[in-house]
Amino acid sequence: MMRCNPYPKRLSRVGIAALLGIGLTVVLDGSGNLGQAQIENHVSQIFAEANQRMVKVYGASAGRVEGYATGFLVSADGLVMTTQGVFLDGNRVRILTADGVEHAASVIRRDRERQLALLKIEVEDANYFSLAEGDVGDKGDWVVAISNAFKVADKDEPLSATLGVISLRTTIEARLNRRDVAYKGDLVLIDPITSNPGAAGGVIVNLQGQLVGMIGKIINSSDTNTRLNYAVPTSSLEQFVANEKPDSQPVLAVSPPVELGIRLFTHGGRSSPAYIDRVSRGSPARQAGMKPDDLIISIGGTKIGNVKDYEQVVAGLKVGEEVIIVVKRGIELIRQPIIPVEKK
Amino acid sequence: MLGLLLATPIPGSLARQTTGPDESGDKLSQKQMELILAAQRQRVNAIDRVMGSVVAIYGENRQGGGSGVIVDPSGIALTNHHVIMGAGVSGWGGLADGNMYHWKLVGTDPGGDVALIQLEGKTDFPFTPLGDSDEVRVGDWVLAMGNPFVLTEDQKPTVTLGIVSGVKRYQPGAGKNQLIYGNCIQVDSSINPGNSGGPLFNMQGRVIGINGRGSFQDRGRVNVGLGYAISANQIRNFLPELLATKLVEHGTLDANFTDRNGKVVCENLYENTPLYQLGMRPGDELLEFEGVPIESANQFTNLICTLPEDWPARLKFRDSQGQVQTFHTRLFGLPYAKPSRRASPPRGKKPSPEEKQQLEQQQAMFELLAATPGTIRNVDVNRHQTARLIDRWKGVSRPDQNSSAVLHLTDEILDPQGKVVGQQEFWYSHNFDQFRAEQTLQGFKRVVVYDGHEFHQQSADGQEPIPAAEARSDPLIVSALGVLAANSKDGRIPFFDETDIQLDGSGLARWQNACRFRTDSESSGEFYFWLSQLGHDVSQPVELLKASATLDGDGETGGMTFAQWRDQSGARIPGQRTWIRNLAESKVLQFKNREAELLNQAPPELFEPPGDVDCP
C-alpha cells in the first residue's frame, strides 16, 4: 500500500546530498567558477517566464472546499490544464491570465479518475507550456513549484515559487479507501510542499524551465495527517489532452465492491460491537467457518471495534486478495484466512 | 543567464547518464563532491556570521517563546508585536553565546506586528544591519532563524533555508487595524510557531525581513511552505518612531481608492481631510504614491500599509479636468481598539510572588496598549536613545588640527534655476562654538556673528542683536549652526546646549529616511533637526540632513537641508545647503561650497559683535 509519506524511503543519503549540491554542481561545472547566486538567477528567470503561462482559476466553493485552483496554458489558443474539483461544478468558471485579465472558461473535459480537467478560454497567441516534450527530470533534480496556494496572489500579481527536488518517480495504485488515493498511474514525488489549498493545477518545472508535471490534488492521510507532495507527469497530461485513455484500467474497475457474506447485528446502530448475525450460504465467511454470534476482532490486521469499522475495512478489501479474519467465539480466539468475492 | 545554462552542455545528474535506475546513477564524482562540500562550507560560514545576532525571546518567567534579531551593537532588537503580547513588556533573551540577557520593550507597532526591544548587559552585542528589501527577488536564497517550538537548550537558533516565493504580498490583519502584513515577503523556508519575530537573512548577511506568520489551515499551525516576513524597508520607516518609545499607528489618507476601467480612482473621501481641501474629489485618478506609479488599488493599499502615522506622503493624481497635480500631506493614524479592562488581583487572597509578577506584567501591558498613540511613553528611555543616536552622529573622531586654526568656508548662492545671485563666507572658531557669517545677496550685505551666547547682525539698517526666537528661522544662522553642531566637541550642540533634545519620530529629509529630533526651550522656541538613519552600508556615517524651526518648514520660515558632507581640513563640511519650504521641500535658495581652508592666523575680533569692530 502506498503510504502518504512526503519523504519516501528511496530518498537515501545520497539523495539528500544531491539536494544540497546537484543544482550547484551543474552551475559550477557548466560555466566555470560561478557561485550559488546562479541558481537564484535561474529560479528568478524561470519563474518570470513560467508565470506568464500560468492562470488563476476561480469557481464555485462548497462548504470548506475551496473555490479556486491554479492552472496553466497548454496551447496558444487558450486550452488550460487544471485539476478536477468541485469548483468546476458551478455556473461559471473564471480564469485570470497573468496580465490580470478575466476570461470566462468552458470545461472541455474532466477526468475523475486521474483528477484532471481541461478548460478553454478565448485568447490568441498565448504563451504556453508544450506537453509534447515528454517526461523530463529525475530523482535529485532541482525543481521549482509554481502555484497560487492559499490564493495569495490576486489579479495580475505573480504566483508563488518554491524550490525543492524530485524525490522519486514512481507509480501508485489507486484505492478507494478513505486514506488512500483516487488516482492511479505515474507520478513524480517532490519535496517542496505543494499539498495546499489552491495549489493543484500549478506547475513543476526544472532549472531549464521545462515542464516536469502538474501539481496534483491534495492527497491526505487521515491516519498520520500527512500529505503527499506530487506532480502528475507531463506524459500523463499529454494523454489526457489528446483524449487517450491510460494503459491501465481506471480506478473503479480495479476495485469493485467486495463482500464476505456476513451480516452483523445492527440494532444498536453502527457503533455497536461487530457481532455476526447471519452467514450466507456458500460465502467466503461460510468457507472460513464463521458462525453467528462470533465477535469480529480484526480483519487484515486492522482492529474492528464496531459495525462502522467493519464496513470501512471491508470497503477497502480487494477481490481475491486473502486477508486474516480474527473472531472471538466464547472465550476462544479464532484466526482464519478469508478471500473476499465481488459483491452481487 | 538562462540562455547560458541552456546552451551549455550539462554534466552531472541533470543530464542523466544512461546508467538506469540502479544506485550507480546516484554516485557523485570526486570533483562534484568537493564542490558540494565547498558550497556547504560557504553557507555554514555565512550562517556563522549572522547567528550571533539572533535572539530567543522569553518572558520574565523564562517561559513562552518567540524570536528576534539584534540590529544595533547597543542591543536594539526587533521582534513581532504578537510576541511581546505573549511575553510581556520585559523578559529574557537568549543568544547563541549561551547567555541570557534581560530585555525591555522600547516601542511597538501593533498595526505592522513589529516591536522594538532593548537588550541589556553589554555594549557590543553582535548585530546584523537591515538590508534593502526592495531588491529582494523571487528565487533569492533566504535563511530564516529563530526558536521554533522552543527547541533550543543552548540558545543557538534553528536555521531553515529556502527561497523567496513571492514579493509585495498582502495578508489581512486581525482585530482593529492590527497585524496587517502589507508589501511583505513570502518564503518557503520553514516558518513554524516560535519563529515569530526572528530574522529573514539574505545570503549577503543582511536582515531583509522579520518572519511573523504563515498560511496555515485545518491541520494546525505547522509550516506548509508559505511563510511571510515584514519587509526591512517597512521597518525602517517605523524604526525612529519605535526608538522614541511610541505606540505607533499606521497611516491613512482617509480616502478609499478602487480599480475602475484600468485606472485607480478615488471612490470616496472625507470632506475635512487635507486631500479634499487640496482639491481631490471622488473620481479623480491616482497616478503615483510615494514616487511609485500606481497600477492597482491593491498596490496602493500595500504601499500605504508600510507607512506610519504623520508620514509626509506625496501623491500625484489627475482630476476630472485632466490636470495632473502633486500633493504632499501628512498621513492620519488608524486607531487601535483600546484594551477593555485593567487586570486586578483576585480578591481576598494574597497573591504568590509568581502571581504578583504576572499581574505586574499584565498591568504594564495594559498601560502600553492604553497609551495615547504617537506620544513619547517613556521620557528617560527616549533621552537615552536620543543621546545614543547623537553620539553616533558626532562620535566620528577627527584628527585635531592646529589648536587655534579657524575654518573658513566660501559658498556661492544660487536661485532655484541655478543662477548665481550672491556669495557668502563663514568663519568657525576652532572649538566650533562661535562663528561669523558674511552674506552678499542681490546686492545687500549682511554680517552675523555668534559669540557663543548671542547673535548680532549688521546690515544697511545698522547693527542689532537677533533674538533667539528669530535666529532659529534665519537661513544664514541655521546653515552656520548646522556646521557648528556637526563639528562641536564633547558631544555638545552649541545653542541647544541648555535644551532637552528628544527623538521625535520618523520622517523624510531630502527624501531619505530620517530620525527627527525636536528641541523646545523658552528662549528659542521649537526647533527640529533630522539625522540620517543607518543605511544598508554600515560604514556610512550618520549625517545631519535637515534643520527647521517648524515641523513642515511651513510658510515664511522654511528650513535648511544639508547635503554632500565631506571631511576636509579636519572638519565635516556640507558641499551643499538648500533653503527649502513646506513638506514638498521646494527650493528657495541653494548654497554651494566653493572653498574650504584653515586659517592659522585669524584676527581675535572676528567673533565679536560686528558693531564693536566697525564703529569708529
Side-chain angles (χ1 to χ4, degrees):
Chain A
M1 196 210 295
M2 178 66 221
R3 282 209 208 105
C4 293
N5 181 346
Y7 299 103
K9 64 174 189 285
R10 283 211 59 199
L11 184 65
S12 58
R13 253 179 303 169
V14 178
I16 289 168
L19 185 157
L20 294 171
I22 280 179
L24 188 66
T25 313
V26 170
V27 174
L28 288 165
D29 278 358
S31 39
N33 197 18
L34 297 172
Q36 204 162 348
Q38 298 315 114
I39 289 185
E40 295 184 335
N41 282 331
H42 295 313
V43 175
S44 167
Q45 290 195 21
I46 286 161
F47 173 74
E49 285 176 23
N51 188 63
Q52 293 304 312
R53 309 168 190 177
M54 308 283 304
V55 300
K56 304 170 181 87
V57 188
Y58 298 93
S61 60
R64 291 176 69 193
V65 180
E66 306 80 27
Y68 58 95
T70 314
F72 57 98
L73 285 150
V74 293
S75 77
D77 63 349
L79 280 177
V80 171
M81 192 69 228
T82 185
T83 185
Q84 136 69 12
V86 179
F87 69 101
L88 296 175
D89 289 331
N91 290 334
R92 70 195 187 114
V93 176
R94 295 180 301 130
I95 281 184
L96 262 63
T97 41
D99 52 10
V101 175
E102 186 179 313
H103 305 265
S106 48
V107 180
I108 302 275
R109 195 176 308 138
R110 298 163 74 168
D111 184 337
R112 287 183 173 79
E113 288 148 18
R114 286 177 290 185
Q115 303 295 334
L116 304 174
L118 188 65
L119 313 182
K120 177 78 170 68
I121 54 172
E122 294 308 318
V123 287
E124 284 169 12
D125 294 332
N127 214 337
Y128 66 98
F129 282 103
S130 167
L131 299 177
E133 287 174 24
D135 285 337
V136 294
D138 215 330
K139 182 165 68 169
D141 290 355
W142 284 111
V143 286
V144 182
I146 303 170
S147 77
N148 194 20
F150 291 97
K151 222 167 30 178
V152 171
D154 189 20
K155 298 187 175 163
D156 64 340
E157 290 165 5
L159 305 183
S160 302
T162 55
L163 182 67
V165 294
I166 295 176
S167 307
L168 191 65
R169 271 185 179 278
T170 186
T171 56
I172 55 168
E173 221 173 290
R175 301 294 291 271
L176 279 182
N177 188 300
R178 68 190 165 116
R179 80 176 77 91
D180 287 330
V181 187
Y183 173 84
K184 180 189 168 94
D186 294 335
L187 47 71
V188 188
L189 295 180
I190 49 178
D191 85 333
I193 305 176
T194 52
S195 261
N196 279 318
V203 297
I204 304 293
V205 291
N206 65 11
L207 285 196
Q208 284 97 325
Q210 295 167 302
L211 186 70
V212 174
M214 184 187 91
I215 297 173
K217 207 175 177 181
I218 293 177
I219 293 177
N220 190 49
S221 161
S222 51
D223 283 354
T224 59
N225 201 19
T226 51
R227 289 181 177 185
L228 196 64
N229 299 306
Y230 70 100
V232 182
T234 310
S235 57
S236 303
L237 303 177
E238 193 191 3
Q239 272 181 359
F240 171 71
V241 172
N243 207 9
E244 289 166 13
K245 286 284 168 203
D247 300 336
S248 54
Q249 289 295 303
V251 176
L252 291 169
V254 174
S255 297
V258 299
E259 64 175 345
L260 300 174
I262 291 172
R263 207 173 91 188
L264 300 177
F265 281 109
T266 52
H267 295 306
R270 293 176 75 217
S271 54
S272 55
Y275 280 106
I276 295 176
D277 183 15
R278 196 184 286 175
V279 178
S280 311
R281 197 166 303 182
S283 69
R286 179 63 68 88
Q287 282 162 23
M290 299 295 110
K291 290 187 173 153
D293 290 343
D294 287 354
L295 175 65
I296 302 176
I297 303 295
S298 75
I299 296 175
T302 306
K303 201 183 114 213
I304 306 295
N306 53 36
V307 175
K308 190 176 158 200
D309 289 350
Y310 172 81
E311 287 168 356
Q312 278 171 353
V313 169
V314 170
L317 297 178
K318 291 175 98 179
V319 175
E321 214 168 79
E322 183 183 287
V323 289
I324 301 293
I325 185 166
V326 179
V327 298
K328 186 168 173 258
R329 188 177 300 155
I331 55 164
E332 208 183 344
L333 275 186
I334 296 166
R335 290 169 52 91
Q336 284 294 335
I338 190 166
I339 302 169
V341 293
E342 192 172 339
K343 195 169 187 172
K344 284 161 196 130
Chain B
M1 215 49 81
L2 182 70
L4 182 87
L5 182 82
L6 291 173
T8 313
I10 295 157
S13 294
L14 268 182
R16 302 290 297 185
Q17 292 142 20
T18 49
T19 47
D22 62 4
E23 287 306 308
S24 64
D26 285 326
K27 284 209 178 108
L28 299 169
S29 74
Q30 182 74 22
K31 192 185 167 205
Q32 285 173 323
M33 193 48 95
E34 276 168 21
L35 288 166
I36 288 170
L37 291 175
Q40 214 165 312
R41 269 196 304 278
Q42 209 179 351
R43 183 158 59 221
V44 168
N45 290 341
I47 291 168
D48 279 348
R49 275 203 304 278
V50 295
M51 192 179 243
S53 61
V54 183
V55 194
I57 293 177
Y58 308 97
E60 282 291 357
N61 54 7
R62 307 206 181 200
Q63 306 259 311
S67 308
V69 60
I70 305 175
V71 293
D72 188 277
S74 65
I76 297 286
L78 294 167
T79 184
N80 281 139
H81 173 72
H82 78 256
V83 167
I84 62 124
M85 284 298 286
V89 296
S90 64
W92 295 89
L95 297 191
D97 65 8
N99 292 325
M100 298 280 258
Y101 298 87
H102 194 249
W103 62 261
K104 282 182 187 151
L105 179 76
V106 178
T108 192
D109 163 23
D113 199 15
V114 177
L116 190 136
I117 61 173
Q118 169 84 61
L119 269 73
E120 295 162 344
K122 236 161 75 158
T123 51
D124 56 343
F125 281 100
F127 71 102
T128 310
L130 294 176
D132 183 353
S133 54
D134 284 346
E135 286 180 6
V136 173
R137 299 176 311 170
V138 173
D140 284 357
W141 289 110
V142 281
L143 291 161
M145 292 196 204
N147 192 12
F149 300 115
V150 201
L151 283 177
T152 185
E153 294 290 333
D154 59 1
Q155 309 308 327
K156 283 198 169 60
T158 296
V159 183
T160 51
L161 176 70
I163 62 164
V164 173
S165 299
V167 293
K168 302 186 168 79
R169 294 302 196 207
Y170 179 85
Q171 290 285 293
K176 192 177 178 187
N177 300 321
Q178 291 203 15
L179 310 182
I180 296 165
Y181 282 48
N183 227 24
C184 67
I185 303 167
Q186 182 199 341
V187 295
D188 75 350
S189 320
S190 294
I191 307 287
N192 282 301
N195 267 114
S196 282
L200 185 70
F201 292 112
N202 63 13
M203 287 297 164
Q204 287 74 51
R206 290 287 187 272
V207 177
I208 53 167
I210 295 295
N211 305 314
R213 64 196 271 181
S215 283
F216 301 122
Q217 52 179 355
D218 44 332
R219 292 195 300 159
R221 293 201 307 139
V222 292
N223 170 53
V224 293
L226 295 90
Y228 303 93
I230 304 147
S231 73
N233 288 8
Q234 168 176 340
I235 292 167
R236 199 174 277 109
N237 295 339
F238 284 80
L239 213 46
E241 296 276 315
L242 295 169
L243 284 168
T245 74
K246 294 180 187 179
L247 172 72
V248 194
E249 286 180 347
H250 279 240
T252 174
L253 283 171
D254 264 355
N256 287 321
F257 294 88
T258 184
D259 293 311
R260 196 179 292 162
N261 307 327
K263 295 172 181 173
V264 180
V265 297
C266 178
E267 195 171 35
N268 54 55
L269 79 169
Y270 292 100
E271 266 187 32
N272 57 355
T273 57
L275 270 191
Y276 188 90
Q277 280 150 19
L278 286 165
M280 181 176 263
R281 294 292 177 271
D284 289 356
E285 184 189 357
L286 183 63
L287 301 173
E288 269 181 33
F289 183 70
E290 290 294 282
V292 180
I294 296 299
E295 279 149 16
S296 73
N298 280 2
Q299 182 201 2
F300 167 75
T301 307
N302 246 345
L303 286 175
I304 201 163
C305 273
T306 63
L307 301 172
E309 177 193 16
D310 274 344
W311 186 262
R314 15 176 192 155
L315 57 156
K316 199 188 261 184
F317 75 92
R318 187 184 288 132
D319 65 18
S320 51
Q321 272 83 52
Q323 291 278 55
V324 174
Q325 301 194 47
T326 301
F327 283 162
H328 292 78
T329 181
R330 287 197 179 268
L331 300 181
F332 291 92
L334 280 166
Y336 303 125
K338 289 285 175 198
S340 50
R341 66 190 156 81
R342 201 172 278 261
S344 60
R347 270 180 213 161
K349 203 175 104 200
K350 205 174 168 224
S352 69
E354 290 79 27
E355 283 169 347
K356 214 175 144 197
Q357 191 187 45
Q358 204 184 350
L359 216 62
E360 279 169 12
Q361 282 282 344
Q362 283 171 0
Q363 183 61 30
M365 189 55 76
F366 176 87
E367 274 164 24
L368 169 70
L369 299 176
T372 309
T375 56
I376 291 164
R377 292 185 311 116
N378 188 324
V379 175
D380 287 339
V381 173
N382 185 295
R383 198 173 283 144
H384 171 78
Q385 297 297 347
T386 302
R388 191 179 62 80
L389 289 165
I390 289 179
D391 264 8
R392 196 68 62 81
W393 169 38
K394 298 179 55 66
V396 187
S397 65
R398 300 196 176 80
D400 227 359
Q401 300 287 324
N402 183 324
S403 63
S404 62
V406 164
L407 179 68
H408 177 226
L409 301 183
T410 310
D411 291 353
E412 221 167 41
I413 307 176
L414 297 91
D415 68 9
Q417 286 73 44
K419 199 179 127 216
V420 178
V421 290
Q423 193 192 335
Q424 61 187 17
E425 283 179 88
F426 296 91
W427 291 265
Y428 299 99
S429 66
H430 170 69
N431 284 329
F432 288 93
D433 51 4
Q434 299 173 316
F435 72 81
R436 178 189 183 87
E438 297 187 5
Q439 186 185 59
T440 312
L441 180 58
Q442 287 159 340
F444 294 97
K445 184 165 180 185
R446 226 181 131 208
V447 178
V448 173
V449 169
Y450 177 61
D451 59 9
H453 306 283
E454 287 177 312
F455 301 97
H456 299 270
Q457 75 165 328
Q458 189 189 41
S459 63
D461 304 334
Q463 196 266 117
E464 56 180 2
I466 307 176
E470 268 174 44
R472 71 199 174 99
S473 52
D474 183 318
L476 191 59
I477 292 175
V478 173
S479 65
L481 281 177
V483 177
L484 278 196
N487 289 284
S488 59
K489 307 286 189 295
D490 311 321
R492 293 180 54 234
I493 302 181
F495 183 58
F496 298 109
D497 270 357
E498 309 305 318
T499 59
D500 200 8
I501 300 176
Q502 274 185 332
L503 175 56
D504 199 37
S506 301
L508 282 177
R510 285 178 24 218
W511 310 116
Q512 279 181 47
N513 273 50
C515 297
R516 183 181 70 237
F517 297 85
R518 176 176 181 271
T519 75
D520 196 359
S521 75
E522 277 182 29
S523 59
S524 61
E526 280 185 339
F527 194 78
Y528 296 87
F529 63 94
W530 287 256
L531 297 182
S532 61
Q533 278 195 48
L534 280 178
H536 322 308
D537 181 0
V538 206
S539 60
Q540 281 277 322
V542 173
E543 299 289 13
L544 176 68
L545 297 179
K546 184 173 162 184
S548 168
T550 57
L551 184 60
D552 295 344
D554 286 337
E556 285 305 300
T557 52
M560 184 70 72
T561 66
F562 299 81
Q564 299 161 21
W565 286 94
R566 66 183 195 275
D567 278 313
Q568 193 188 336
S569 310
R572 287 299 282 164
I573 298 166
Q576 185 167 321
R577 289 173 273 194
T578 310
W579 191 245
I580 50 97
R581 285 222 176 104
N582 303 332
L583 272 185
E585 296 193 352
S586 327
K587 282 178 196 166
V588 182
L589 286 174
Q590 294 177 74
F591 310 93
K592 280 206 160 76
N593 182 248
R594 293 292 177 223
E595 268 176 63
E597 55 179 345
L598 277 181
L599 305 175
N600 289 327
Q601 296 291 314
E605 66 276 13
L606 197 59
F607 302 116
E608 283 169 18
D612 297 351
V613 181
D614 289 342
C615 285

